[in-house]
PDB file of all heavy atoms in Angstrom:
ATOM      1  N   HIS A   4     -43.895  32.977 321.119  1.00 89.00           N
ATOM      2  CA  HIS A   4     -44.758  32.669 319.980  1.00 89.00           C
ATOM      3  C   HIS A   4     -45.545  33.907 319.536  1.00 89.00           C
ATOM      4  O   HIS A   4     -46.005  34.686 320.358  1.00 89.00           O
ATOM      5  CB  HIS A   4     -45.737  31.555 320.340  1.00 89.00           C
ATOM      6  CG  HIS A   4     -45.064  30.287 320.771  1.00 89.00           C
ATOM      7  ND1 HIS A   4     -44.385  29.479 319.890  1.00 89.00           N
ATOM      8  CD2 HIS A   4     -44.959  29.708 321.983  1.00 89.00           C
ATOM      9  CE1 HIS A   4     -43.899  28.445 320.545  1.00 89.00           C
ATOM     10  NE2 HIS A   4     -44.224  28.559 321.822  1.00 89.00           N
ATOM     11  N   SER A  12     -62.324  38.187 308.949  1.00 93.00           N
ATOM     12  CA  SER A  12     -63.385  39.115 309.338  1.00 93.00           C
ATOM     13  C   SER A  12     -62.817  40.441 309.828  1.00 93.00           C
ATOM     14  O   SER A  12     -62.064  40.492 310.802  1.00 93.00           O
ATOM     15  CB  SER A  12     -64.230  38.487 310.454  1.00 93.00           C
ATOM     16  OG  SER A  12     -65.022  39.469 311.091  1.00 93.00           O
ATOM     17  N   SER A  28     -53.264  37.868 311.008  1.00 98.00           N
ATOM     18  CA  SER A  28     -54.535  37.199 310.754  1.00 98.00           C
ATOM     19  C   SER A  28     -54.439  36.408 309.455  1.00 98.00           C
ATOM     20  O   SER A  28     -53.694  36.773 308.552  1.00 98.00           O
ATOM     21  CB  SER A  28     -55.703  38.189 310.685  1.00 98.00           C
ATOM     22  OG  SER A  28     -55.550  39.058 309.591  1.00 98.00           O
ATOM     23  N   HIS A  32     -60.451  29.179 305.795  1.00 94.00           N
ATOM     24  CA  HIS A  32     -61.132  28.562 304.646  1.00 94.00           C
ATOM     25  C   HIS A  32     -61.626  27.146 304.949  1.00 94.00           C
ATOM     26  O   HIS A  32     -61.113  26.163 304.419  1.00 94.00           O
ATOM     27  CB  HIS A  32     -60.241  28.560 303.399  1.00 94.00           C
ATOM     28  CG  HIS A  32     -59.822  29.935 302.989  1.00 94.00           C
ATOM     29  ND1 HIS A  32     -60.713  30.885 302.547  1.00 94.00           N
ATOM     30  CD2 HIS A  32     -58.594  30.527 302.985  1.00 94.00           C
ATOM     31  CE1 HIS A  32     -60.071  32.001 302.277  1.00 94.00           C
ATOM     32  NE2 HIS A  32     -58.793  31.806 302.541  1.00 94.00           N
ATOM     33  N   PRO A  37     -73.613  23.772 308.763  1.00 91.00           N
ATOM     34  CA  PRO A  37     -74.013  23.035 309.971  1.00 91.00           C
ATOM     35  C   PRO A  37     -74.311  21.569 309.648  1.00 91.00           C
ATOM     36  O   PRO A  37     -74.789  21.247 308.561  1.00 91.00           O
ATOM     37  CB  PRO A  37     -75.292  23.741 310.424  1.00 91.00           C
ATOM     38  CG  PRO A  37     -75.324  25.036 309.693  1.00 91.00           C
ATOM     39  CD  PRO A  37     -74.543  24.853 308.428  1.00 91.00           C
ATOM     40  N   ALA A  55     -59.110  26.976 314.054  1.00 98.00           N
ATOM     41  CA  ALA A  55     -57.751  26.983 314.609  1.00 98.00           C
ATOM     42  C   ALA A  55     -56.948  25.787 314.111  1.00 98.00           C
ATOM     43  O   ALA A  55     -55.789  25.928 313.714  1.00 98.00           O
ATOM     44  CB  ALA A  55     -57.811  26.983 316.133  1.00 98.00           C
ATOM     45  N   LEU A  58     -55.309  25.825 310.596  1.00 98.00           N
ATOM     46  CA  LEU A  58     -54.095  26.626 310.388  1.00 98.00           C
ATOM     47  C   LEU A  58     -52.910  26.132 311.205  1.00 98.00           C
ATOM     48  O   LEU A  58     -51.813  26.675 311.097  1.00 98.00           O
ATOM     49  CB  LEU A  58     -54.390  28.093 310.734  1.00 98.00           C
ATOM     50  CG  LEU A  58     -55.425  28.779 309.837  1.00 98.00           C
ATOM     51  CD1 LEU A  58     -55.737  30.171 310.357  1.00 98.00           C
ATOM     52  CD2 LEU A  58     -54.949  28.828 308.400  1.00 98.00           C
ATOM     53  N   ALA A  70     -62.422  32.145 316.418  1.00 98.00           N
ATOM     54  CA  ALA A  70     -63.738  32.443 316.984  1.00 98.00           C
ATOM     55  C   ALA A  70     -64.817  32.132 315.967  1.00 98.00           C
ATOM     56  O   ALA A  70     -64.590  32.188 314.754  1.00 98.00           O
ATOM     57  CB  ALA A  70     -63.812  33.908 317.393  1.00 98.00           C
ATOM     58  N   GLY A  75     -79.469  31.434 317.330  1.00 91.00           N
ATOM     59  CA  GLY A  75     -80.666  30.614 317.176  1.00 91.00           C
ATOM     60  C   GLY A  75     -81.828  31.167 317.967  1.00 91.00           C
ATOM     61  O   GLY A  75     -81.665  31.883 318.949  1.00 91.00           O
ATOM     62  N   ILE A  76     -83.000  30.809 317.511  1.00 89.00           N
ATOM     63  CA  ILE A  76     -84.227  31.141 318.213  1.00 89.00           C
ATOM     64  C   ILE A  76     -85.024  29.839 318.254  1.00 89.00           C
ATOM     65  O   ILE A  76     -85.454  29.338 317.217  1.00 89.00           O
ATOM     66  CB  ILE A  76     -84.990  32.293 317.530  1.00 89.00           C
ATOM     67  CG1 ILE A  76     -86.278  32.607 318.256  1.00 89.00           C
ATOM     68  CG2 ILE A  76     -85.226  32.050 316.088  1.00 89.00           C
ATOM     69  CD1 ILE A  76     -86.935  33.896 317.802  1.00 89.00           C
ATOM     70  N   THR A 106     -71.021  32.740 321.034  1.00 96.00           N
ATOM     71  CA  THR A 106     -69.726  33.083 320.470  1.00 96.00           C
ATOM     72  C   THR A 106     -68.678  32.230 321.155  1.00 96.00           C
ATOM     73  O   THR A 106     -68.475  32.336 322.368  1.00 96.00           O
ATOM     74  CB  THR A 106     -69.413  34.575 320.664  1.00 96.00           C
ATOM     75  OG1 THR A 106     -70.482  35.345 320.115  1.00 96.00           O
ATOM     76  CG2 THR A 106     -68.107  34.944 319.965  1.00 96.00           C
ATOM     77  N   PRO A 117     -55.108  23.095 324.654  1.00 97.00           N
ATOM     78  CA  PRO A 117     -55.951  24.126 324.037  1.00 97.00           C
ATOM     79  C   PRO A 117     -57.061  24.551 324.999  1.00 97.00           C
ATOM     80  O   PRO A 117     -57.384  23.836 325.945  1.00 97.00           O
ATOM     81  CB  PRO A 117     -56.520  23.426 322.803  1.00 97.00           C
ATOM     82  CG  PRO A 117     -56.452  21.978 323.121  1.00 97.00           C
ATOM     83  CD  PRO A 117     -55.285  21.781 324.032  1.00 97.00           C
ATOM     84  N   LEU A 119     -61.094  26.213 325.144  1.00 98.00           N
ATOM     85  CA  LEU A 119     -62.342  26.449 324.417  1.00 98.00           C
ATOM     86  C   LEU A 119     -63.334  27.083 325.375  1.00 98.00           C
ATOM     87  O   LEU A 119     -63.507  26.613 326.498  1.00 98.00           O
ATOM     88  CB  LEU A 119     -62.889  25.130 323.863  1.00 98.00           C
ATOM     89  CG  LEU A 119     -64.226  25.173 323.126  1.00 98.00           C
ATOM     90  CD1 LEU A 119     -64.147  26.015 321.855  1.00 98.00           C
ATOM     91  CD2 LEU A 119     -64.678  23.750 322.780  1.00 98.00           C
ATOM     92  N   PHE A 152     -78.106  41.948 311.815  1.00 93.00           N
ATOM     93  CA  PHE A 152     -77.924  43.260 312.413  1.00 93.00           C
ATOM     94  C   PHE A 152     -76.479  43.431 312.873  1.00 93.00           C
ATOM     95  O   PHE A 152     -75.748  42.466 313.050  1.00 93.00           O
ATOM     96  CB  PHE A 152     -78.871  43.503 313.589  1.00 93.00           C
ATOM     97  CG  PHE A 152     -78.674  42.550 314.737  1.00 93.00           C
ATOM     98  CD1 PHE A 152     -77.647  42.724 315.652  1.00 93.00           C
ATOM     99  CD2 PHE A 152     -79.526  41.476 314.897  1.00 93.00           C
ATOM    100  CE1 PHE A 152     -77.462  41.851 316.699  1.00 93.00           C
ATOM    101  CE2 PHE A 152     -79.354  40.590 315.940  1.00 93.00           C
ATOM    102  CZ  PHE A 152     -78.318  40.778 316.847  1.00 93.00           C
ATOM    103  N   LEU A 157     -76.036  50.835 314.132  1.00 95.00           N
ATOM    104  CA  LEU A 157     -77.457  51.164 314.247  1.00 95.00           C
ATOM    105  C   LEU A 157     -78.306  49.992 314.727  1.00 95.00           C
ATOM    106  O   LEU A 157     -79.393  50.185 315.267  1.00 95.00           O
ATOM    107  CB  LEU A 157     -77.960  51.658 312.876  1.00 95.00           C
ATOM    108  CG  LEU A 157     -79.389  52.168 312.786  1.00 95.00           C
ATOM    109  CD1 LEU A 157     -79.614  53.331 313.740  1.00 95.00           C
ATOM    110  CD2 LEU A 157     -79.692  52.593 311.351  1.00 95.00           C
ATOM    111  N   SER A 160     -80.463  49.783 317.964  1.00 96.00           N
ATOM    112  CA  SER A 160     -81.802  50.381 318.079  1.00 96.00           C
ATOM    113  C   SER A 160     -82.924  49.350 317.908  1.00 96.00           C
ATOM    114  O   SER A 160     -84.079  49.654 318.162  1.00 96.00           O
ATOM    115  CB  SER A 160     -81.966  51.493 317.042  1.00 96.00           C
ATOM    116  OG  SER A 160     -82.027  50.946 315.728  1.00 96.00           O
ATOM    117  N   ARG A 186     -53.330  37.309 329.088  1.00 96.00           N
ATOM    118  CA  ARG A 186     -52.560  37.662 330.287  1.00 96.00           C
ATOM    119  C   ARG A 186     -51.916  36.424 330.897  1.00 96.00           C
ATOM    120  O   ARG A 186     -50.785  36.474 331.394  1.00 96.00           O
ATOM    121  CB  ARG A 186     -53.451  38.366 331.317  1.00 96.00           C
ATOM    122  CG  ARG A 186     -53.709  39.829 331.000  1.00 96.00           C
ATOM    123  CD  ARG A 186     -54.348  40.575 332.158  1.00 96.00           C
ATOM    124  NE  ARG A 186     -55.565  39.956 332.630  1.00 96.00           N
ATOM    125  CZ  ARG A 186     -56.784  40.219 332.159  1.00 96.00           C
ATOM    126  NH1 ARG A 186     -56.929  41.100 331.173  1.00 96.00           N
ATOM    127  NH2 ARG A 186     -57.838  39.615 332.644  1.00 96.00           N
TER     128      ARG A 186
END
Side-chain angles (χ1 to χ4, degrees):
H4 302 289
S12 164
S28 64
H32 301 295
L58 296 174
I76 179 169
T106 305
L119 177 64
F152 62 80
L157 185 58
S160 70
R186 281 192 305 271

